[in-house]
Amino acid sequence: MSHLFDFDYHNPTAIHFGPGRIARLRELLPPQGRVLWLYGGGSIKRNGVYDAVSQALRGCTVHTFAGVEPNPALESLLPALALMRAEATDFVLAVGGGSVIDAGKFLAVAALADGDPWDFVAGRRAIERALPVAAVLTLPATGSESNGTSVISRHATREKRAFRSPWMRPRFALLDPQVMRTLPDRQLANGLVDAFVHACEQYLTTPVGALVQDGYAEAVLRALYRLASSFARRHEIEWCQNLMWAANQALAGLLGVGVPQDWATHAIGRELTALYDLDHARTLSIAQPWLLRETVAAKEQKLLQMGREVFRRADTDALQVIAEIEALYRRLQMPLSLPEAGISDPDAADRMMTALLPQQHQLRDLDPPALRRVLSALSSGTA
Ligand code: NZQ
Ligand code: ZN
């Protein structure tokens, strides 16, 4: 294959980027809207976001639901759904990171439907409408603020699933890099690595001569590589601005149009979170290098291209490029195996196999024996 796939591209999210942008909220909301304001565990009360949003919403009809947890679960969102129905809210405002925004998208779909809302997450039921959603982003990482994806867990069955629909794309997103000042180093590193892997999943496949997509992906990867190298400057506004925009662009949809993609790292990562409650980005740093070593032959050309264009190493081989990616994660103190994340489970590979075999279609270049090799390696930290 050496040509682009056909594609349709439409990203309707209006992005308002820059310090102070949250004040625009008022003029962007529908004047008579009945707003569900969703937020997480309270970080927005420490960085001025809560006050700025409250100010902007003064005089509006607003119902608040707080406490959306990282890796949001169906069980904890059902009370929000009940609130929306009782109050007939017709607009969802998500203020937080990927978890709060994903929860908002899910609720926007579920609020307009009868029946079991998990059917949408599991892909058993098509999404045909949703309430409008908007986002005030506080953690650059997932790109959820301008894409049509949501990731929801279900504790009862230890599942974590991604689902997509154009209906879930936010109407607008407010990106003020000043809100990043309260982010702990762990979340900044998580955000950087998540965005890096998003770009990789759309780039590290096979070449199809996509000059523009490759160039965009390389620009985002180079930016993230520079931000990792200058992590000491993470409290400067210039650094924050660049992470916020890079993370948005990494998963706003443009990098992946018309080119092959491989989301196997994310498929494995979701199961690692479902089983061991690990931060999303940490599952990616654990899974991706082992996966790349297993699939190095299939991905060799793009790895070499990444070595030249991102790491600026002309004389490199594919394994060295993988080592370079690992070095980037090490610099950010990310784990590269389950033991490094404090998990020692002798049954980890078996449990992961059981969870992943029904999802084989998400694991592009991996047959079951190859999958087992990857899972054994990441569970033990040795190939
Ligand atoms: O809950 P609060 O108190 O707000 O604290 C959060 C949370 O504990 C904190 N935080 C957020 N902004 C902050 C802050 N702390 C201080 N200052 C701030 N400005 O950070 C913690 C983590 O937040 P979370 O939203 O969970 O992180 P992230 O944005 O990394 O989102 C992770 C979720 O998104 C999914 C992941 O699977 C995971 O469930 N993903 C969503 C995607 C999408 N919709 O496109 C794609 C991704 O690949 C990913 O799967
Ligand atoms: Zn991700």
Side-chain angles (χ1 to χ4, degrees):
M1 179 180 48
S2 62
H3 57 84
L4 300 185
F5 308 135
D6 298 347
F7 63 86
D8 302 296
Y9 176 72
H10 176 64
N11 190 334
T13 306
I15 294 189
H16 303 274
F17 186 103
R21 279 298 188 271
I22 297 175
R24 292 246 178 114
L25 192 50
R26 184 54 177 275
E27 67 200 65
L28 293 167
L29 286 170
Q32 306 301 328
R34 297 177 63 81
V35 177
L36 174 79
W37 170 9
L38 206 59
Y39 64 93
S43 69
I44 63 168
K45 295 198 169 160
R46 296 193 302 274
N47 53 20
V49 173
Y50 182 88
D51 291 340
V53 172
S54 301
Q55 174 86 19
L57 290 177
R58 197 165 291 165
C60 300
T61 306
V62 181
H63 298 277
T64 305
F65 184 87
V68 176
E69 78 263 60
N71 309 306
L74 172 74
E75 289 88 343
S76 11
L77 297 177
L78 291 177
L81 193 53
L83 174 69
M84 291 174 82
R85 287 187 173 139
E87 300 298 344
T89 53
D90 58 13
F91 193 98
V92 179
L93 177 66
V95 181
S99 293
V100 174
I101 301 170
D102 286 1
K105 292 171 174 178
F106 164 77
L107 290 168
V109 171
L112 293 182
D114 298 325
D116 182 358
W118 184 257
D119 285 344
F120 293 112
V121 183
R124 287 192 289 266
R125 193 168 164 195
I127 296 172
E128 285 162 353
R129 55 193 189 137
L131 291 176
V133 180
V136 175
L137 181 69
T138 65
L139 198 180
T142 62
S144 184
E145 66 277 9
S146 67
N147 69 35
T149 300
S150 169
V151 186
I152 301 294
S153 299
R154 182 163 70 169
H155 291 318
T157 47
R158 280 197 176 235
E159 287 173 280
K160 185 181 191 200
R161 295 277 175 267
F163 64 116
R164 291 169 191 85
S165 164
W167 289 101
M168 295 197 294
R169 283 190 189 267
R171 298 288 165 100
F172 63 85
L174 302 176
L175 276 59
D176 176 350
Q178 292 181 133
V179 309
M180 295 168 63
R181 66 178 178 273
T182 47
L183 277 168
D185 287 353
R186 181 187 179 101
Q187 295 301 343
L188 287 170
N190 281 353
L192 202 163
V193 168
D194 192 19
F196 191 86
V197 179
H198 292 159
C200 289
E201 307 272 53
Q202 299 163 87
Y203 173 78
L204 281 181
T205 53
T206 43
V208 291
L211 299 181
V212 173
Q213 291 89 328
D214 282 1
Y216 283 166
E218 285 154 6
V220 170
L221 289 165
R222 259 195 315 272
L224 291 165
Y225 179 49
R226 275 181 63 175
L227 293 173
S229 307
S230 59
F231 197 70
R233 294 176 50 203
R234 62 196 175 282
H235 301 302
E236 296 173 19
I237 192 72
E238 187 191 336
W239 192 98
C240 294
Q241 285 172 338
N242 277 303
L243 179 60
M244 203 167 227
W245 189 234
N248 174 273
Q249 291 295 288
L251 201 48
L254 205 48
L255 305 193
V257 293
V259 297
Q261 305 187 20
D262 179 357
W263 289 87
T265 299
H266 271 71
I268 293 177
R270 280 193 295 276
E271 295 309 323
L272 286 171
T273 297
L275 284 172
Y276 303 109
D277 201 25
L278 293 168
D279 292 358
H280 170 62
R282 285 163 192 260
T283 68
L284 307 178
S285 65
I286 290 170
Q288 191 206 30
W290 301 107
L291 257 169
L292 289 176
R293 274 188 286 272
E294 180 64 39
T295 54
V296 66
K299 295 184 191 293
E300 183 175 19
Q301 288 190 58
K302 287 308 275 290
L303 280 164
L304 292 176
Q305 187 176 330
M306 184 176 183
R308 285 192 307 274
E309 303 295 336
V310 176
F311 298 125
R312 302 293 193 207
R313 294 181 57 145
D315 55 343
T316 192
D317 66 37
L319 287 173
Q320 276 175 327
V321 177
I322 299 170
E324 198 78 58
I325 294 172
E326 282 188 317
L328 186 158
Y329 297 160
R330 282 246 179 268
R331 208 170 300 142
L332 297 172
Q333 300 183 0
M334 304 297 282
L336 299 178
S337 67
L338 279 183
E340 285 188 20
I343 312 279
S344 57
D345 175 2
D347 300 324
D350 286 341
R351 297 171 73 186
M352 299 278 297
M353 263 323 259
T354 307
L356 281 161
L357 277 177
Q359 304 176 54
Q360 187 72 40
H361 60 285
Q362 307 215 33
L363 307 170
R364 207 178 123 94
D365 293 324
L366 289 182
D367 57 17
L371 174 61
R372 174 162 287 279
R373 281 194 294 277
V374 169
L375 297 177
S376 301
L378 68 84
S379 305
S380 62
T382 51

